[in-house]
Amino acid sequence: MSAKEIVLNAVAAIFTSFDPEAAEQLLAPGYIQHNPMVPTGAAPIIGFIPALKESGVTMEVHRVIAEGDMVVLHSTYDNAQAFGAETLVAFDVFRVEDGKVAEHWDNLQPPAAPNASGRTLTDGPTEVTDLDKTAENKALVQGFVTDVLHGKAPEKITSYVSTETYLQHNPNIGDGLEALGGMIQHLAETGQALAYTSTPIVVAEGNFVFAASEGSLGETPMAFFDLFRVEDGRIVEHWDTVSPIPAEMAHDNGKF
């Protein structure tokens, strides 16, 4: 099975069929957990499956991208009180090793009303295309992350982002570069400066490129999980989830 198939089968065992035996076959015993609230290892996940079934939780996967041993799911969890809210939008990132899911990172955010441009956290294109441009598109987004998000050369933004089409799914920002710049300026003026400090995970497949970053919003440590769609050599669409990084976690693995 491909890494994508292994991850989708594992997720189905946990959240659809609620099958502990199937999950045990697909999770590495030494499964490394980065969700702040869940202990590390496969055993806590497997042991939690009956409670998940009882809770009525459901998972709808909107997008799947994979590169090598890394797989990213963009999903919505409903009846998700076990995770802290009725509904949560999530990016789940998995690393596969020796045919099993070996590591997991995620970032969850409650859904919000459509933004000023009428877009939600999850709507928009889902089809992976342009597989022959994966490396090119990944390099483009990595350049954007370094120059713009990390602040090395923010004036280069139009070298990475389309000036004609930039569709935004962040609930607080409308479409277009002007709206993005206005929000960044507003945050800085109100003492909530946005800062990206490191981006340890980048996964690309065709026209989609995902990046997971650590940073801050004002004084609060934050995790920024961003998904970009690239078309004709420019970023044309963006989805994200943003979540505070807690000081205490259920393990010693850290958020990243």
Side-chain angles (χ1 to χ4, degrees), residues 19 25 46 57 84 94 99 106 116 118 133 155 158 160 189 192 225 242 247 249:
D19 186 339
Q25 295 302 310
I46 295 165
V57 67
F94 301 91
D106 64 357
K133 296 181 179 178
E155 69 277 3
T158 55
Y160 303 108
E189 290 172 349
Q192 292 291 306
F225 282 31
V242 180
M249 302 188 187

Side-chain angles (χ1 to χ4, degrees), residues 86-171:
E86 172 71 24
T87 301
L88 288 164
V89 176
F91 282 106
D92 288 281
V93 185
F94 301 91
R95 181 178 62 83
V96 174
E97 182 179 329
D98 297 330
K100 294 181 183 289
V101 181
E103 194 164 5
H104 170 248
W105 303 258
D106 64 357
N107 219 37
L108 300 99
Q109 175 179 329
N115 65 16
S117 298
R119 305 186 196 285
T120 72
L121 282 166
T122 59
D123 65 346
T126 61
E127 183 183 0
V128 175
T129 62
D130 300 333
L131 290 174
D132 59 321
K133 296 181 179 178
T134 295
E136 174 186 334
N137 291 342
K138 184 176 185 178
L140 177 84
V141 169
Q142 287 175 316
F144 172 75
V145 168
T146 298
D147 286 343
V148 179
L149 297 184
H150 289 193
K152 302 295 185 185
E155 69 277 3
K156 291 184 178 180
I157 188 168
T158 55
S159 297
Y160 303 108
V161 180
S162 171
T163 57
E164 298 177 359
T165 304
Y166 183 56
L167 308 179
Q168 178 64 257
H169 294 267
N170 181 292

Side-chain angles (χ1 to χ4, degrees), residues 18-230:
F18 302 105
D19 186 339
E21 289 76 19
E24 187 173 13
Q25 295 302 310
L26 292 162
L27 300 180
Y31 181 86
I32 302 168
Q33 178 66 261
H34 295 276
N35 179 297
M37 307 303 294
V38 181
T40 199
I45 300 291
I46 295 165
F48 195 44
I49 289 175
L52 286 176
K53 182 177 183 179
E54 182 69 22
S55 75
V57 67
T58 61
M59 179 186 189
E60 179 184 2
V61 178
H62 307 289
R63 292 170 185 84
V64 185
I65 67 170
E67 180 186 11
D69 61 356
M70 301 293 286
V71 181
V72 180
L73 306 185
H74 188 197
S75 308
T76 299
Y77 294 93
D78 285 306
N79 295 318
Q81 290 87 348
F83 302 149
E86 172 71 24
T87 301
L88 288 164
V89 176
F91 282 106
D92 288 281
V93 185
F94 301 91
R95 181 178 62 83
V96 174
E97 182 179 329
D98 297 330
K100 294 181 183 289
V101 181
E103 194 164 5
H104 170 248
W105 303 258
D106 64 357
N107 219 37
L108 300 99
Q109 175 179 329
N115 65 16
S117 298
R119 305 186 196 285
T120 72
L121 282 166
T122 59
D123 65 346
T126 61
E127 183 183 0
V128 175
T129 62
D130 300 333
L131 290 174
D132 59 321
K133 296 181 179 178
T134 295
E136 174 186 334
N137 291 342
K138 184 176 185 178
L140 177 84
V141 169
Q142 287 175 316
F144 172 75
V145 168
T146 298
D147 286 343
V148 179
L149 297 184
H150 289 193
K152 302 295 185 185
E155 69 277 3
K156 291 184 178 180
I157 188 168
T158 55
S159 297
Y160 303 108
V161 180
S162 171
T163 57
E164 298 177 359
T165 304
Y166 183 56
L167 308 179
Q168 178 64 257
H169 294 267
N170 181 292
N172 301 312
I173 311 172
D175 290 351
L177 285 179
E178 185 175 344
L180 176 62
M183 176 55 68
I184 292 172
Q185 181 178 350
H186 171 74
L187 290 170
E189 290 172 349
T190 56
Q192 292 291 306
L194 179 69
Y196 280 64
T197 54
S198 68
T199 303
I201 301 172
V202 180
V203 180
E205 184 179 14
N207 56 330
F208 286 106
V209 184
F210 168 84
S213 302
E214 186 171 2
S216 58
L217 186 59
E219 298 297 318
T220 305
M222 302 292 288
F224 304 101
F225 282 31
D226 296 283
L227 179 66
F228 304 93
R229 184 171 66 85
V230 180

